[in-house]
Amino acid sequence: MIPVLTIDGPSGVGKGTIAYIMSQKLHWNLLDSGAIYRAFAVAATNRDIKIDNVDDLLKLASNLDLKFHSDPGQNNLNIYLDNVEISAELRTEKTAELASNYAMIGPLRESLLIRQQKFKQLPGLVADGRDMGTVVFSDAPFKVFLTADVEERAKRRLKQLHDKGITGNISHTLEEVHKRDERDANRKHSPLKPAKDALIIDTTNLTINEVVTKVVALVKA
Ligand code: DC
């Protein structure tokens, strides 16, 4: 039995940070499933495959040459597509928006499923995304769903972008975060929603440490 902790939630809620801290605490593997959707979006855009060309999108998904690398003890996932580093391009809002659009395509999600499930390796896995607890690891023993007010999430997203040297303004970021969440939550296939057995944590007024304490308590229990 390989234990899995799933951390789902909308954009800008801090899933990546909490997932990284938990993976360090537990010494478990880490899956940033959003990075797979983002890398797919970069690959499809590079090849100029249109969003309605599902056959070619599926071919691309099954041949996607994607490698992840992170330095031990650092939250810096480096992603290589066809052996070229695309980490900076991956983190832009433009890529996020494209990823959210491709993520609506049901057969594409299915073809990216096994790639995600392969991350489930001993001694355990922390997986963050939108459908980790509901679909990809629906039998996970530990499930968390993070929420926060949209204004707070926009602020966090803006800070994240600034820390990476990317500029933006609050009203534009707020609009983007809101639009993406609406699309992710209202799509037909694997929409963003809490699993029935997930612990829901509203992080609007919580520090990172306070959220981590709640997640640690869940895993310990
Ligand atoms: O977590 P993120 O911001 O990197 O995700 C980018 C987009 O990818 C998100 O808006 C929707 C899609 N996604 C998804 O549909 N399912 C996941 N498990 C992870 C991401």
Side-chain angles (χ1 to χ4, degrees), residues 15 33-35 37-38 91 96 99-100 103 109 129-132 157 180 184 187:
K15 301 182 296 288
S33 62
Y37 284 94
R38 286 171 183 251
R91 292 295 154 211
S100 168
R109 300 194 69 85
R130 305 292 184 292
D131 60 344
M132 298 295 100
R157 171 66 85 209
R180 191 143 67 90
D184 293 344
R187 69 185 175 213

Side-chain angles (χ1 to χ4, degrees), residues 123-168:
L125 175 69
V126 181
D128 96 63
R130 305 292 184 292
D131 60 344
M132 298 295 100
T134 51
V135 178
V136 182
F137 302 106
S138 55
D139 58 353
F142 313 112
K143 297 182 185 178
V144 171
F145 190 88
L146 302 179
T147 64
D149 290 352
V150 68
E151 288 81 8
E152 177 61 26
R153 290 190 285 111
K155 265 192 236 158
R156 291 178 191 174
R157 171 66 85 209
L158 198 61
K159 183 175 181 308
Q160 217 174 39
L161 292 175
H162 279 167
D163 290 348
K164 291 194 166 69
I166 304 170
T167 51

Side-chain angles (χ1 to χ4, degrees), residues 12-204:
V13 78
K15 301 182 296 288
T17 305
I18 304 296
Y20 171 73
I21 295 172
M22 287 307 300
S23 74
Q24 291 288 300
K25 279 191 181 291
L26 297 164
H27 304 288
W28 289 1
N29 299 293
L30 180 63
L31 165 63
D32 171 359
S33 62
I36 295 181
Y37 284 94
R38 286 171 183 251
F40 180 84
V42 172
T45 309
N46 286 350
R47 288 166 178 75
D48 203 17
I49 307 175
K50 298 283 171 282
I51 196 137
D52 54 358
N53 185 352
V54 176
D55 284 351
D56 282 2
L57 290 176
L58 293 184
K59 265 186 225 142
L60 174 62
S62 52
N63 295 315
L64 203 60
D65 176 7
L66 208 55
K67 290 184 193 79
F68 293 88
H69 171 82
S70 53
D71 295 325
Q74 293 202 33
N75 188 7
N76 67 332
L77 185 64
N78 297 320
I79 294 148
Y80 299 82
L81 174 67
D82 301 322
N83 295 315
V84 176
E85 196 184 347
I86 56 160
S87 315
E89 191 180 353
L90 212 75
R91 292 295 154 211
T92 64
E93 275 305 307
K94 181 171 170 264
T95 302
E97 172 76 10
L98 285 166
S100 168
N101 277 291
Y102 287 113
M104 293 169 73
I105 305 170
L108 178 61
R109 300 194 69 85
E110 265 168 47
S111 89
L112 294 176
L113 194 69
I114 294 187
R115 194 182 281 270
Q116 296 171 71
Q117 289 171 335
K118 280 190 183 152
F119 279 77
K120 184 172 159 182
Q121 306 264 345
L122 283 169
L125 175 69
V126 181
D128 96 63
R130 305 292 184 292
D131 60 344
M132 298 295 100
T134 51
V135 178
V136 182
F137 302 106
S138 55
D139 58 353
F142 313 112
K143 297 182 185 178
V144 171
F145 190 88
L146 302 179
T147 64
D149 290 352
V150 68
E151 288 81 8
E152 177 61 26
R153 290 190 285 111
K155 265 192 236 158
R156 291 178 191 174
R157 171 66 85 209
L158 198 61
K159 183 175 181 308
Q160 217 174 39
L161 292 175
H162 279 167
D163 290 348
K164 291 194 166 69
I166 304 170
T167 51
N169 73 62
I170 189 70
S171 58
H172 187 228
T173 307
L174 185 77
E175 198 184 306
E176 276 177 334
V177 162
H178 183 64
K179 201 169 66 183
R180 191 143 67 90
D181 289 344
E182 286 285 295
R183 187 185 305 113
D184 293 344
N186 293 313
R187 69 185 175 213
K188 186 170 163 208
H189 305 282
S190 313
L192 163 71
K193 66 172 181 196
K196 284 194 180 72
D197 48 349
L199 170 70
I200 299 177
I201 306 176
D202 183 343
T203 69
T204 309

